[in-house]
Amino acid sequence: MAITLTVNGQAHSVDVEPETPLLWTIRDTLGLTGTKFGCGIAACGACTVHVNGKAVRSCTMPVSAAAGAAIVTIEGLARAGGLHAVQQAWIDQQVPQCGYCQSGMIMAVTALLGQNPHPDDDQVDAAITNICRCGTFARVRRAIHALARG
Ligand code: FES
Ligand code: FES
């Protein structure tokens, strides 16, 4: 079944079953492999993308639910050759370790800061529930606060 998706500003017609997870459509059909698979049950956040500006765990969203929406993946975050401020903060604060969780982490943080540019620690804890097996949480928090300070 043909479904039209708009990913990183570009429209695509994809021929997939409507119940196919958005994650696999992004990775396998569109070849955008920056979005990662971790758990498949909406628990870890590795697969986080933006759908209409909100952070969504794409492993459990059927692709049909994203038809017509504006989807942004980690590949679409940088604009006109420049890194997004969150990506730059990740470099400045040396956040990543192995890096596997970090595209999802960055997408979750970008969505949070878009809605709340100055989150306190409780708001960070409530919004950023992504799992990092390398334990980068303290650095993630430091980068968020650096961004909030501007
Ligand atoms: S792979 Fe989607 S939340 Fe873990
Ligand atoms: S940096 Fe390795 S899992 Fe998060």
Side-chain angles (χ1 to χ4, degrees):
M1 175 180 170
I3 293 174
T4 301
L5 291 180
T6 302
V7 182
N8 302 331
Q10 202 176 346
H12 301 268
S13 179
V14 294
D15 188 13
V16 294
E17 295 300 320
E19 64 273 20
T20 304
L22 177 61
L23 172 64
W24 297 121
T25 308
I26 289 170
R27 286 183 57 87
D28 292 351
T29 309
L30 299 180
L32 295 170
T33 55
T35 305
K36 302 303 184 192
F37 172 79
C39 64
I41 55 169
C44 77
C47 64
T48 304
V49 299
H50 296 172
V51 176
N52 290 336
K54 292 207 167 72
V56 165
R57 296 188 172 181
S58 63
C59 65
T60 52
M61 174 180 255
V63 63
S64 55
I71 301 161
V72 178
T73 70
I74 188 73
E75 290 90 346
L77 214 51
R79 294 280 160 86
L83 291 179
H84 188 284
V86 174
Q87 293 171 310
Q88 187 60 54
W90 252 231
I91 294 171
D92 295 344
Q93 301 293 333
Q94 300 186 350
V95 174
Q97 293 292 311
C98 81
Y100 194 83
C101 73
Q102 296 294 335
S103 56
M105 195 74 87
I106 287 171
M107 297 309 285
V109 168
T110 305
L112 167 64
L113 293 174
Q115 289 153 9
N116 178 1
H118 304 284
D120 61 24
D121 282 341
D122 288 345
Q123 290 167 330
V124 171
D125 289 345
I128 309 301
T129 56
N130 299 45
I131 294 171
C132 173
R133 285 173 293 183
C134 299
T136 62
F137 302 109
R139 292 180 186 198
V140 167
R141 189 184 299 276
R142 196 167 70 209
I144 292 171
H145 288 316
L147 286 157
R149 283 193 302 273

